[in-house]
C-alpha cells in the first residue's frame, strides 16, 4: 500500500495538464476521421467509376436467367433502390447526430454533474440501432427485390450487378459505422451514469470527440444518399 | 481526491478485470486466435445446409476474421474499448503494469505500451518477416537457376513469388518506421512515450495478427496472382486469396493506427523549444511517412474488401461480364501502391540522413531543403499512380500527365541526394559501419532511381513493362536502398537499445557481401529484362540462362550477407562490446538519455535551444 502511494506520487509529476491531453486526443480523433474520409471517398469513387464505365452496359442490366423461359438471355433492367427509404435512414442518422450535439451542449451547460446526458446519449445510441436495423432492411432489399444475374444452372450461383455491388459496399460500410456509433452512444451513457463523463473539468471532452465522429458519419450518410439518389440509372 | 479513488481501485483487480488481463500474453493470443479461427470455419458448416459454390471462400474469410478477433482478444487488445464502454477506467497501477514496469523480459511477449518495448518488438518482427520473404526469394532464385527447372511446380512457384512480394512490402513498411519510429522518434521529440501508448501496442500486435493469415496462404494452396493480385485472376485463384485479403485489411488497420499515433506524437508531444524547425530529420521523415501512409493505405483495404465480396458474396466489382471492371482494381491498388513506395522509402532516408550528419561531423546540409524534398516526394507521389497502367489501355489521354508527374518526382528525390552528398562533402568522415551502409545506399539508389525515370517514359515502358528490367529496378530501390537504409539504421541505433556495439568486422563483411550481391543479382537481371525476359515466369528460354545463373549466385551472396548481420545482431545482443549511452557523440536527444533508457525516458524534460546538428560549430555559435 505504502509503496503504491509513493510510486503514484513520484510519477504524478510526470502527468500533463488535462488541456494538453485533451488537445492531443482531439487531434487523434480528427486524424482517424481523415482516414475514414478517405475510405468513404474510395467507396464513392468505386460507385461513380463503375457507373461511368458501365462495362458492357452492365451497370444495372442483367440477363434473364430462367433457362425454361422463352426470353432466356434477354436483358432486364434492374430497379433502383428506393431513394425515399435511403433518405429515411439518413434522416435517422442525422437526427441521432443532432441528439448527440444537443446532449453535449446540455452537458456543458450543467453547473455540476451530467444532468440528463446519460439518457440523451442512450437515445442517440438507440437511434443508431434503429438506423442499423433500417440499413439491414435496405441490404436485404438488394437481396430480395432485385433479380440476380442468373445465367448459371446452379441456383446458388448469383451475381449482383455493378450497381447492386456498389450499394452493398456503401450500405455495408454504413452498417459497420452505425454499430460503432451505438457502441459509443451507450458507452457514453454508462460512463455518464458513473460520473466519468460530466461537466466537471474536462470530463465532457469525450462527449465532444464522439460528437465529431458522429457528425462526420451523418455527413457521410448525406453525401452517400445524395450521390446514390442523384446518379443511379 | 481522484488519486485516492485510483488507489482503491487498483487494489480490487476483480472489479476491473485486472486479474484476467494480467495473464494475457502472446501465447494466450495464439490460443484464442486458433479458437476464433476454428469457430469461424466450423460454425458455418454447422448452421448452413445450403452451401453454394462460394461456401469454401465464405468459410475461409470468416475463419481468418475469427483468428484476428480471437488473437486481439487473447493478447488483451480488446480490453481497452471494453473497459471504456463499461466505465472501468484504468488506474495508474494498470497503466504502469501495461507499460511493463518491473516485468523484465516477459514484457516483450505482452501487450506492452512502452514505446521502447514496442520498438524492439517491431525490430524482431521485421527481421522474422524479412527472413521469411528472404527464404522465398532464395527458393525462387533456385528455381530460376536453369531454364526448365522443376525445383518446385509452377503453382508453388507462383505462390512463392506472390507471397515473397507481399511479405517484403510489409516487412519494409515496418523495417524502419516500426523499430526506430517507435523507439527513437518519441525520445527525439523529447516525449515520455507515444501519444497513444495502447494504440501503439495495438499497431504492433495487429501486424502479428496479419502475418499469420498471410503465411497461411502458402499452406492452403497459395495465391497465383502475384503481389499485385490483379482482378480477375484474384477472383479465380484458390482459397488462399481469402486469407491473403484479410491479412492485408488487418495490416491496414495497423498502419492507420500507427500513422495517427506517429503524427499525433510529433504534433503534440514535443518538449519545450522543440519547434518544427529544430526537429531531427528522422522525426520529420516519420511525420511525412506516417501522414502519407494514413492517406494511402485505406485504398488497399477497400480494394481487398471488394475482392473478398466478389469472391464470396456474389458482387461484381471486377468481373466485366456483369458490369464490373478490372481497371477499378488497378486504380484502387495503385492509388495505394505508389505512395506506399514512399511510405517505405522516406523513413529509411530520414535514418540515413541522421547517419550522414553524425558520421561526417557536420550540420545536415540544407536542413529545410531536405524537409521540402521529403514533403515534395510525398505530395507528388499521390499523383503518379497511373504510371503502372500505361500498357493496360486505361485512359490513354492521361498518359502524358502521369508521365510528367512521375518524372517530376525525380526533382525532390534529387534534392535528397544533394542533401546527403552535401552533408558528407568535405566532412570529417568517420567510416563506421552505419556510414558504409549509407555509401551503399547512395550508389544503389542512383541506379534504382535513374532506371525509374526510364520506366516512367511511356515509349520505354511500352517495351520494358512486365519484364525483369522492372523487377531489377524496384529491387535496386527496395533491397539496394531501403534495406541498406534499414540495416544502416540498425548498426546506428543498436547501441541505444542494447547498450552494446554491433561488431564492426562482421558489419563490414555483411556489407560487402550484400553490396556485391546486389550488383551481381540485379545488374544481371537488368540484362535479362533488356533481352526480353518476362517477369513472374517459372521457366524461361535458354537465351536467358547466363544472366539468370548470375542473378541466382548474386542472390545467394546477398543472403549470406544478411545472415552475417543476423548473426552479428544475435551475438552482439549478448556479448557485444559495451557502448555507453552516446557512442557516436551524437547531439539528438535519444543519445543524451541513459542506456538502458528509463521507463519514461526523461527524469526532467529537456528544453531545446537549437537544432541538433551543430557539429563542428563552436558551442553557442547558434542560439
Ligand atoms: Cu509507382
Amino acid at each position: 500500500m505504502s509503496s503504491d502511494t509513493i510510486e503514484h506520487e513520484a510519477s504524478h509529476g510526470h502527468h500533463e495538464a488535462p488541456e494538453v491531453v485533451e488537445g492531443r486526443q482531439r487531434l487523434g480523433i480528427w486524424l482517424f476521421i481523415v482516414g475514414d474520409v478517405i475510405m468513404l471517398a474510395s467507396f464513392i469513387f468505386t460507385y461513380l467509376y463503375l457507373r461511368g464505365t458501365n462495362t458492357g452496359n452492365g451497370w444495372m442490366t442483367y440477363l434473364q436467367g430462367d433457362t425454361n423461359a422463352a426470353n432466356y438471355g434477354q436483358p432486364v433492367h434492374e430497379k433502383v433502390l428506393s431513394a425515399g427509404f435511403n433518405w429515411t435512414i439518413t434522416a435517422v442518422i442525422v437526427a441521432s447526430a443532432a441528439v448527440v450535439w444537443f446532449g453535449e451542449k446540455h452537458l456543458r451547460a450543467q453547473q455540476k454533474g451530467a444532468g440528463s446526458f446519460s439518457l440523451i446519449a442512450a437515445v442517440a445510441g438507440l437511434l443508431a440501432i434503429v438506423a442499423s436495423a433500417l440499413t439491414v432492411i435496405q441490404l436485404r432489399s438488394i437481396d430480395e427485390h432485385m433479380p440476380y444475374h442468373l445465367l448459371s444452372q446452379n441456383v446458388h450461383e448469383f451475381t449482383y450487378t455493378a450497381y447492386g455491388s456498389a450499394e452493398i459496399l456503401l450500405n455495408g460500410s454504413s452498417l459497420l459505422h452505425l454499430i460503432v456509433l451505438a457502441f459509443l452512444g451507450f458507452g457514453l451513457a454508462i460512463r455518464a451514469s458513473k460520473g466519468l463523463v460530466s461537466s466537471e473539468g474536462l470530463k465532457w471532452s469525450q462527449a465532444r470527440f464522439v460528437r465529431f465522429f458522429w457528425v462526420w458519419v451523418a455527413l457521410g450518410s448525406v453525401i452517400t444518399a445524395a450521390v446514390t439518389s442523384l446518379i443511379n440509372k | 481526491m481522484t488519486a485516492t479513488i485510483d488507489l482503491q481501485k487498483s487494489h480490487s483487480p476483480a472489479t476491473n478485470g485486472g486479474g484476467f488481463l494480467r495473464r494475457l500474453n502472446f501465447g494466450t493470443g495464439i490460443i484464442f486466435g486458433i479458437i476464433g479461427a476454428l469457430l469461424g470455419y466450423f460454425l458455418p458448416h454447422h448452421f448452413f445446409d445450403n452451401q453454394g459454390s462460394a461456401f469454401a471462400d465464405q468459410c475461409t474469410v470468416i475463419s481468418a476474421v475469427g483468428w484476428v478477433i480471437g488473437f486481439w482478444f487473447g493478447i488483451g487488445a480488446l480490453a481497452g474499448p471494453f473497459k471504456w464502454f463499461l466505465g472501468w477506467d484504468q488506474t495508474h497501477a494498470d497503466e504502469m503494469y501495461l507499460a511493463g514496469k518491473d516485468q523484465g523480459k516477459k514484457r516483450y511477449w505482452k501487450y506492452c505500451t512502452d514505446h521502447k518495448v514496442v520498438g524492439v518488438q517491431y525490430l524482431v518482427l521485421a527481421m522474422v518477416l524479412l527472413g521469411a520473404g528472404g527464404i522465398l526469394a532464395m527458393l525462387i532464385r533456385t528455381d530460376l537457376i536453369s531454364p526448365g527447372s522443376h525445383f518446385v511446380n509452377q503453382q508453388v512457384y507462383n505462390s512463392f513469388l506472390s507471397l515473397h512480394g507481399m511479405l517484403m512490402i510489409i516487412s519494409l513498411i515496418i523495417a524502419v518506421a516500426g523499430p526506430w519510429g517507435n523507439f527513437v522518434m518519441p525520445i527525439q521529440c523529447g516525449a515520455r512515450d507515444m501519444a497513444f501508448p495502447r494504440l501503439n501496442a495495438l499497431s504492433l500486435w495487429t501486424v502479428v495478427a496479419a502475418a499469420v493469415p498471410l503465411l497461411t496462404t502458402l499452406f492452403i494452396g497459395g495465391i497465383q496472382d502475384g503481389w499485385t493480385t490483379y482482378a480477375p485472376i484474384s477472383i479465380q485463384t484458390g482459397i488462399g486469396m481469402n486469407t491473403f485479403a484479410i491479412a492485408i485489411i488487418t495490416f491496414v488497420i495497423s498502419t492507420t493506427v500507427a500513422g495517427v499515433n506517429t503524427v499525433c506524437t510529433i504534433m503534440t508531444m514535443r518538449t519545450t523549444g522543440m519547434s518544427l524547425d529544430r526537429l531531427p530529420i528522422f522525426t520529420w521523415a516519420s511525420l511525412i511517412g506516417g501522414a502519407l501512409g494514413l492517406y494511402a493505405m485505406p485504398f488497399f483495404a477497400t480494394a481487398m474488401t471488394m475482392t473478398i465480396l466478389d469472391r464470396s458474396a456474389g458482387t461484381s466489382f471486377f468481373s466485366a461480364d456483369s458490369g464490373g471492371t478490372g481497371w477499378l482494381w488497378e486504380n484502387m491498388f495503385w492509388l495505394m501502391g505508389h505512395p506506399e513506395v514512399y511510405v517505405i522509402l522516406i523513413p529509411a532516408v530520414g535514418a540515413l540522413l541522421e547517419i550522414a550528419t553524425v558520421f561526417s561531423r557536420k550540420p545536415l546540409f540544407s536542413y529545410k531543403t531536405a524537409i521540402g524534398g521529403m514533403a515534395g516526394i510525398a505530395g507528388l507521389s499521390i499523383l503518379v499512380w497511373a504510371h503502372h497502367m500505361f500498357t493496360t489501355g486505361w485512359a490513354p489521354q492521361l498518359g502524358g500527365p502521369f508521365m510528367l508527374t512521375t518524372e517530376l518526382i525525380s526533382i525532390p528525390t534529387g534534392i535528397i541526394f544533394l542533401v546527403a552528398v552535401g552533408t558528407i562533402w568535405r566532412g570529417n568522415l568517420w567510416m563506421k559501419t552505419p556510414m558504409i551502409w549509407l555509401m551503399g545506399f547512395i550508389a544503389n539508389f542512383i541506379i534504382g532511381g535513374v532506371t525509374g525515370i526510364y520506366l516512367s517514359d511511356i515509349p520505354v515502358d511500352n517495351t520494358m513493362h512486365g519484364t525483369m528490367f522492372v523487377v531489377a529496378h524496384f529491387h535496386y530501390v527496395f533491397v539496394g536502398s531501403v534495406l541498406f537504409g534499414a540495416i544502416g539504421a540498425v548498426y546506428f541505433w543498436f547501441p541505444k537499445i542494447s547498450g552494446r556495439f554491433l561488431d564492426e568486422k562482421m558489419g563490414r563483411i555483411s556489407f560487402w557481401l550484400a553490396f556485391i550481391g546486389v550488383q551481381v543479382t540485379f545488374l544481371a537481371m537488368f540484362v535479362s529484362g533488356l533481352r526480353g525476359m518476362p517477369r513472374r515466369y517459372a521457366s524461361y528460354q535458354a537465351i536467358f540462362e547466363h544472366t539468370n545463373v548470375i542473378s541466382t549466385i548474386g542472390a545467394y551472396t546477398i543472403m549470406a550477407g544478411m545472415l552475417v548481420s543476423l548473426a552479428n545482431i544475435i551475438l552482439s545482443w549478448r556479448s557485444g562490446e559495451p557502448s555507453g549511452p552516446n557512442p557516436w557523440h551524437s547531439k539528438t536527444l535519444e543519445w543524451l538519455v541513459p542506456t538502458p533508457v528509463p521507463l519514461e525516458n526523461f527524469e526532467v524534460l529537456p528544453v531545446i535551444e537549437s537544432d541538433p546538428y551543430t557539429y563542428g560549430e563552436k558551442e553557442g555559435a547558434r542560439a
Side-chain angles (χ1 to χ4, degrees):
Chain A
M1 173 72 198
S2 61
S3 74
D4 245 350
T5 320
I6 290 162
E7 176 212 298
H8 187 87
E9 281 168 2
S11 50
H12 203 80
H14 289 179
H15 282 181
E16 297 159 290
E19 302 78 43
V20 175
V21 176
E22 195 266 350
R24 174 178 313 144
Q25 291 174 341
R26 195 169 56 215
L27 178 64
I29 296 292
W30 279 115
L31 289 170
F32 272 115
I33 291 176
V34 166
D36 207 41
V37 168
I38 293 161
M39 274 314 255
L40 183 71
S42 72
F43 295 157
I44 303 260
F45 172 83
T46 296
Y47 182 92
L48 295 175
Y49 186 86
L50 288 172
R51 171 69 196 86
T53 314
N54 192 14
T55 311
N57 203 23
W59 164 247
M60 256 191 197
T61 318
Y62 63 100
L63 298 176
Q64 194 83 264
D66 183 353
T67 45
N68 296 321
N71 52 3
Y72 170 74
Q74 293 298 307
V76 179
H77 212 69
E78 194 171 82
K79 76 174 186 196
V80 182
L81 283 181
S82 157
F85 192 61
N86 205 344
W87 280 109
T88 308
I89 301 174
T90 301
V92 176
I93 301 174
V94 171
S96 69
V99 169
V100 171
W101 199 314
F102 167 78
E104 187 202 334
K105 278 208 155 150
H106 170 81
L107 177 66
R108 288 171 71 177
Q110 301 301 309
Q111 297 290 330
K112 206 168 177 285
S116 332
F117 179 74
S118 187
L119 185 67
I120 298 171
V123 169
L126 214 57
L127 283 173
I129 287 185
V130 171
S132 310
L134 294 175
T135 308
V136 170
I137 294 172
Q138 179 84 315
L139 277 165
R140 288 189 71 90
S141 79
I142 300 175
D143 231 38
E144 284 163 8
H145 304 303
M146 286 190 175
Y148 314 130
H149 176 105
L150 268 177
L151 274 183
S152 165
Q153 297 289 335
N154 184 339
V155 287
H156 302 301
E157 295 293 341
F158 54 92
T159 306
Y160 300 100
T161 59
Y163 169 71
S165 305
E167 281 284 7
I168 287 174
L169 188 66
L170 287 165
N171 282 289
S173 152
S174 174
L175 180 59
L176 284 180
H177 280 82
L178 290 168
I179 292 169
V180 173
L181 290 188
F183 178 86
L184 294 173
F186 290 119
L188 279 183
I190 293 172
R191 295 178 67 78
S193 73
K194 290 192 167 187
L196 293 165
V197 173
S198 72
S199 55
E200 178 193 331
L202 280 172
K203 280 189 174 177
W204 49 270
S205 62
Q206 287 188 343
R208 187 183 187 193
F209 301 149
V210 169
R211 187 251 297 171
F212 290 154
F213 183 65
W214 211 300
V215 168
W216 150 244
V217 174
L219 182 65
S221 178
V222 171
I223 293 170
T224 308
V227 169
T228 56
S229 59
L230 291 174
I231 307 165
N232 43 47
K233 280 210 177 112
Chain B
M1 164 74 191
T2 46
T4 328
I5 292 168
D6 283 351
L7 282 175
Q8 282 168 352
K9 269 196 185 166
S10 71
H11 283 275
S12 50
T15 58
N16 62 11
F20 172 67
L21 284 178
R22 288 175 192 208
R23 285 195 194 90
L24 300 180
N25 56 36
F26 184 45
T28 53
I30 289 182
I31 292 168
F32 281 103
I34 291 172
I35 293 172
L38 292 175
L39 286 179
Y41 193 79
F42 289 110
L43 283 185
H45 279 84
H46 190 74
F47 283 111
F48 298 101
D49 305 327
N50 198 357
Q51 299 170 358
S53 67
F55 193 65
D57 287 314
Q58 292 159 353
C59 289
T60 27
V61 168
I62 299 170
S63 178
V65 172
W67 153 266
V68 174
I69 294 174
F71 183 79
W72 272 340
F73 177 80
I75 193 86
L78 301 182
F82 180 72
K83 287 169 105 180
W84 177 87
F85 184 79
L86 295 174
W88 295 343
D89 276 2
Q90 279 189 338
T91 61
H92 186 73
D94 286 339
E95 268 174 37
M96 281 294 132
Y97 180 82
L98 274 176
K101 191 172 164 53
D102 304 327
Q103 287 165 51
K105 292 216 167 71
K106 265 190 185 168
R107 67 196 202 275
Y108 290 98
W109 296 100
K110 291 188 156 225
Y111 196 78
C112 180
T113 57
D114 181 355
H115 70 101
K116 299 178 288 294
V117 173
V118 174
V120 173
Q121 288 168 327
Y122 259 118
L123 178 63
V124 173
L125 179 61
M127 291 197 301
V128 168
L129 295 179
L130 276 169
I135 290 168
L136 291 177
M138 293 306 110
L139 295 172
I140 292 165
R141 281 314 321 171
T142 304
D143 189 75
L144 291 175
I145 204 164
S146 67
S149 148
H150 294 290
F151 176 66
V152 289
N153 79 40
Q154 296 178 351
Q155 254 90 47
V156 174
Y157 177 87
N158 284 348
S159 57
F160 282 1
L161 190 85
S162 310
L163 199 61
H164 160 73
M166 191 47 81
L167 270 171
M168 287 312 202
I169 291 290
I170 286 183
S171 48
L172 289 180
I173 287 178
I174 64 171
V176 179
W180 316 117
N182 282 297
F183 194 105
V184 168
M185 180 274 282
I187 315 180
Q188 281 194 336
C189 293
R192 295 196 191 278
D193 203 322
M194 295 285 276
F196 306 114
R198 273 185 289 152
L199 290 185
N200 202 21
L202 178 67
S203 70
L204 175 276
W205 287 108
T206 303
V207 182
V208 178
V212 171
L214 187 67
L215 291 168
T216 304
T217 53
L218 262 192
F219 304 101
I220 55 173
I223 60 167
Q224 305 294 315
D225 34 346
W227 83 277
T228 55
T229 56
Y230 268 29
I233 312 175
S234 61
I235 312 302
Q236 294 151 359
T237 192
I239 55 168
M241 191 60 213
N242 301 314
T243 50
F244 186 87
I246 293 294
I248 299 303
I249 294 170
T250 310
F251 182 66
V252 172
I253 295 173
S254 164
T255 57
T256 303
V257 167
V260 169
N261 214 348
T262 302
V263 173
C264 245
T265 303
I266 299 169
M267 295 317 290
T268 67
M269 304 271 292
R270 287 166 312 180
T271 188
T272 315
M274 184 63 86
S275 52
L276 285 175
D277 61 353
R278 289 172 180 167
L279 208 53
I281 199 73
F282 176 67
T283 295
W284 262 109
S286 302
L287 177 65
I288 294 168
L292 188 58
L294 202 53
Y295 159 80
M297 298 308 279
F299 290 106
F300 210 3
T302 303
M304 281 297 178
T305 304
M306 293 194 287
T307 301
I308 289 173
L309 290 174
D310 266 14
R311 292 177 59 90
S312 59
T315 58
S316 53
F317 293 105
F318 307 132
S319 72
D321 65 351
S322 39
T325 163
W327 282 331
L328 176 61
W329 169 268
E330 292 173 24
N331 274 292
M332 214 48 111
F333 182 83
W334 291 113
L335 275 165
M336 173 286 301
H338 195 92
E340 164 250 58
V341 171
Y342 294 105
V343 173
I344 291 174
L345 184 74
I346 289 174
V349 164
L352 288 166
L353 292 180
E354 294 283 358
I355 291 171
T357 158
V358 171
F359 292 89
S360 305
R361 312 312 296 167
K362 271 181 64 192
L364 188 71
F365 176 74
S366 194
Y367 168 84
K368 285 184 181 162
T369 320
I371 297 165
M374 292 193 293
I377 289 175
L380 275 173
S381 77
I382 68 179
L383 299 171
V384 301
W385 79 93
H387 63 212
H388 296 274
M389 298 161 65
F390 285 155
T391 61
T392 64
W394 181 75
Q397 66 279 16
L398 293 179
F402 275 108
M403 180 169 123
L404 180 70
T405 51
T406 306
E407 288 176 350
L408 278 177
I409 246 185
S410 61
I411 295 172
T413 312
I415 286 175
I416 298 293
F417 273 107
L418 290 180
V419 170
V421 173
T423 304
I424 297 168
W425 184 253
R426 300 183 73 183
N428 189 1
L429 298 197
W430 191 19
M431 292 305 283
K432 301 298 255 185
T433 32
M435 191 63 168
I436 295 174
W437 290 96
L438 166 66
M439 299 295 183
F441 165 88
I442 291 174
N444 291 334
F445 195 37
I446 286 277
I447 299 175
V450 168
T451 50
I453 303 178
Y454 299 168
L455 289 172
S456 69
D457 191 66
I458 294 173
V460 176
D461 190 63
N462 281 334
T463 311
M464 306 312 296
H465 179 86
T467 68
M468 291 303 256
F469 189 90
V470 177
V471 180
H473 150 69
F474 69 71
H475 278 79
Y476 257 101
V477 174
F478 285 137
V479 184
S481 314
V482 176
L483 189 59
F484 273 46
I487 298 176
V490 173
Y491 277 86
F492 180 51
W493 277 309
F494 187 81
K496 195 35 85 177
I497 56 174
S498 68
R500 296 174 188 280
F501 284 108
L502 284 169
D503 186 69
E504 277 287 310
K505 197 185 236 173
M506 286 177 86
R508 276 158 208 260
I509 293 170
S510 169
F511 170 80
W512 284 110
L513 286 170
F515 186 76
I516 293 167
V518 164
Q519 316 311 323
V520 171
T521 311
F522 300 116
L523 286 177
M525 200 177 279
F526 275 129
V527 178
S528 300
L530 284 169
R531 289 179 166 184
M533 181 179 168
R535 66 191 282 199
R536 298 192 171 122
Y537 278 33
S539 57
Y540 52 85
Q541 293 200 312
I543 53 160
F544 304 122
E545 184 168 8
H546 291 313
T547 49
N548 271 283
V549 170
I550 295 172
S551 285
T552 299
I553 294 170
Y556 291 159
T557 314
I558 299 174
M559 188 58 156
M562 294 300 113
L563 289 175
V564 172
S565 267
L566 178 66
N568 196 355
I569 290 170
I570 293 170
L571 293 175
S572 302
W573 217 316
R574 288 186 181 175
S575 52
E577 187 196 332
S579 64
N582 188 6
W584 316 120
H585 311 292
S586 172
K587 295 186 177 182
T588 43
L589 283 175
E590 81 271 26
W591 297 107
L592 305 182
V593 295
T595 302
V597 185
L599 183 58
E600 291 188 314
N601 303 343
F602 302 97
E603 192 53 43
V604 179
L605 285 177
V607 176
I608 306 303
E609 287 169 350
S610 79
D611 75 63
Y613 303 120
T614 54
Y615 303 105
E617 293 173 10
K618 283 194 182 127
E619 285 302 318
R622 275 199 269 175

